[in-house]
Amino acid sequence: MNKLEKDKRIRVGIIGANPSPGHWAVSVHIPALMQLPQYEITAVCTTRRETAEETARQFNVPHAFDNAEEMVRHPDVDLVVVSVTTIKHAELVRLAIAAGKDVMCEWPLGISLEESEKLAHEAEAAGVLAVMDLQRRFDPGVRYFRDLIADGYVGRLRSVKFRMEVPYFGGFYPPSTIDAADASYSHTIVNVISGHFLEPILFAVGEIKSVSGLVAQQFSHAKVIGTDEMIPVTVPDQVLINGTFVNDAVFSAHIESGKHNGSGSETIVTGTKGDLILSSDYTVYGAQGKGKELVKLEIPDRYKPIPQGNLQKEVYQTVLLYNSLAKDLAEGTQDVATFKDACRLLRILESVVEASTTGRRQELKD
């Protein structure tokens, strides 16, 4: 990567900045970038000029495009953010690479490990910084949780148990997400939900050595919420994983979509000296010794380099991601997740699918 010139603002162009409610670029990326003086949003792009111009007017962005190649080649753009459906990622990331621009891509990087590895290689060969929008690893609770484990709070790590339930997908799909019911869009519980929510846990705990797993599809059709429409479903709705870390601690995970009640997540860490829990909102609970009640552990201020204020959780995590990216560019460090990190995570998830298909445990190798 090229180090950022001192005092130079990072000029950002965002592909997929649709002004409609719920779009990640407008609801998360833009509010996050607006909190940071190191950045300036200089361009937005959608497939229709009128929507791009609407977003540009709403956020006072100087350039609006309906052609992604024109945007990434514009001299006022240093960093390209790709915030569109997964099947379009490779095409748009390659435009940024060809233009010699640093690029941030939503998770997952490509529709497969093979495609993602090609993109990582192309970015490295071009000498551009290639970043994944895996913002949850920057949550102060995740960072504190990680350091507690590394500093020996639980002693020698014995086991990690992760559960994740989401109310969407399964037998019911919101109108805005019906594409996720079609496996050809590569927006499934395996590569999207499992990847997004497992990544901060693996970031905090360590490298996986081997996995076995079960990927299950229990719904062949689903209802579109708010309508009488039924749509075909060709994607799984449950993922079960068990495995081992490189330090021989054991790992188990159950990710389930379409949960009617009690959805959420929890990570339980067991060690030889104590226990930790990371809750859905990344609150940390811990206890050392035997027979102790787990209590909330206050996160030290050093894990909050920027105050959260009234920012929503996802926006705040993304602020911290962009803050770390600016530091990486200025100082030559590497705290953000890269395309290579994305490939490691996708290798785990594809190994889980392979284990489910073959019934054989998969050994993971870089």
Side-chain angles (χ1 to χ4, degrees):
M1 83 181 81
N2 296 319
K3 289 180 69 175
L4 184 69
E5 295 177 20
K6 187 177 180 181
D7 300 327
K8 182 178 182 295
R9 298 178 81 184
I10 302 166
R11 299 169 298 177
V12 182
I14 304 174
I15 304 174
N18 194 301
S20 301
H23 282 263
W24 192 257
V26 169
S27 61
V28 176
H29 281 286
I30 291 178
L33 286 163
M34 292 175 68
Q35 302 295 316
L36 296 166
Q38 306 99 307
Y39 292 89
E40 177 185 6
I41 305 170
T42 53
V44 291
C45 180
T46 67
T47 57
R48 295 165 52 217
R49 179 164 291 276
E50 55 265 36
T51 57
E53 289 177 346
E54 182 180 342
T55 299
R57 284 194 299 270
Q58 183 178 348
F59 296 101
N60 196 30
V61 177
H63 303 295
F65 296 87
D66 59 5
N67 182 297
E69 185 170 6
E70 288 182 12
M71 192 206 79
V72 301
R73 292 188 178 279
H74 197 281
D76 290 346
V77 173
D78 304 313
L79 171 68
V80 176
V81 175
V82 176
S83 184
V84 298
T85 186
T86 305
I87 59 174
K88 294 288 188 180
H89 284 182
E91 171 191 349
L92 298 173
V93 165
R94 285 193 169 105
L95 289 179
I97 293 172
K101 302 295 177 72
D102 293 335
V103 59
M104 176 185 290
C105 185
E106 300 285 1
W107 174 264
L109 175 54
I111 61 172
S112 66
L113 174 60
E114 180 182 8
E115 182 175 81
S116 299
E117 288 178 332
K118 287 179 180 178
L119 292 171
H121 175 75
E122 291 166 17
E124 183 176 26
V128 302
L129 176 61
V131 178
M132 293 306 301
D133 177 25
L134 289 167
Q135 78 283 353
R136 289 175 178 84
R137 67 157 58 185
F138 291 95
D139 192 279
V142 173
R143 294 278 165 146
Y144 184 40
F145 184 72
R146 183 189 195 215
D147 285 351
L148 286 170
I149 294 169
D151 293 342
Y153 183 92
V154 299
R156 179 174 55 84
L157 190 67
R158 295 183 55 231
S159 68
V160 178
K161 296 184 282 289
F162 174 74
R163 66 167 184 83
M164 176 77 198
E165 306 98 7
V166 294
Y168 41 87
F169 304 158
F172 297 87
Y173 282 71
S176 61
T177 65
I178 58 175
D179 287 348
D182 184 343
S184 66
Y185 282 85
S186 297
H187 192 95
T188 73
I189 189 174
V190 178
N191 61 358
V192 177
I193 299 175
S194 297
H196 250 307
F197 289 94
L198 278 176
E199 196 279 336
I201 306 309
L202 299 181
F203 168 77
V205 176
E207 292 288 330
I208 291 284
K209 180 171 67 175
S210 67
V211 294
S212 59
L214 174 65
V215 178
Q217 180 184 341
Q218 297 180 326
F219 296 91
S220 60
H221 290 80
K223 184 176 181 180
V224 179
I225 296 173
T227 75
D228 294 325
E229 182 184 2
M230 297 295 293
I231 57 173
V233 176
T234 57
V235 296
D237 47 77
Q238 296 207 51
V239 181
L240 287 84
I241 308 169
N242 61 59
T244 58
F245 290 99
V246 293
N247 62 0
D248 293 326
V250 298
F251 175 64
S252 64
H254 184 186
I255 300 97
E256 180 178 11
S257 62
K259 181 78 167 166
H260 286 293
N261 305 292
S263 60
S265 69
E266 185 178 60
T267 305
I268 302 173
V269 168
T270 300
T272 55
K273 295 181 179 178
D275 303 271
L276 287 168
I277 290 178
L278 189 66
S279 69
S280 287
D281 63 356
Y282 297 133
T283 300
V284 182
Y285 300 86
Q288 294 177 303
K290 295 182 179 181
K292 303 290 182 63
E293 180 182 356
L294 276 75
V295 298
K296 180 179 177 180
L297 303 179
E298 294 298 330
I299 300 171
D301 289 341
R302 67 180 180 274
Y303 292 95
K304 307 167 188 175
I306 297 171
Q308 181 173 353
N310 295 322
L311 296 176
Q312 294 181 350
K313 192 75 164 175
E314 294 85 357
V315 176
Y316 182 53
Q317 292 166 344
T318 306
V319 168
L320 297 178
L321 162 61
Y322 276 115
N323 188 59
S324 287
L325 174 57
K327 183 178 179 181
D328 284 350
L329 285 166
E331 301 178 9
T333 53
Q334 187 177 305
D335 194 24
V336 296
T338 66
F339 282 12
K340 287 187 176 180
D341 295 317
C343 291
R344 292 190 191 97
L345 184 54
L346 282 168
R347 193 171 295 116
I348 294 171
L349 298 175
E350 289 205 0
S351 295
V352 171
V353 175
E354 181 70 11
S356 179
T357 302
T358 64
R360 294 194 298 268
R361 177 174 292 277
Q362 303 294 305
E363 298 293 328
L364 291 160
K365 299 176 182 179
D366 282 331

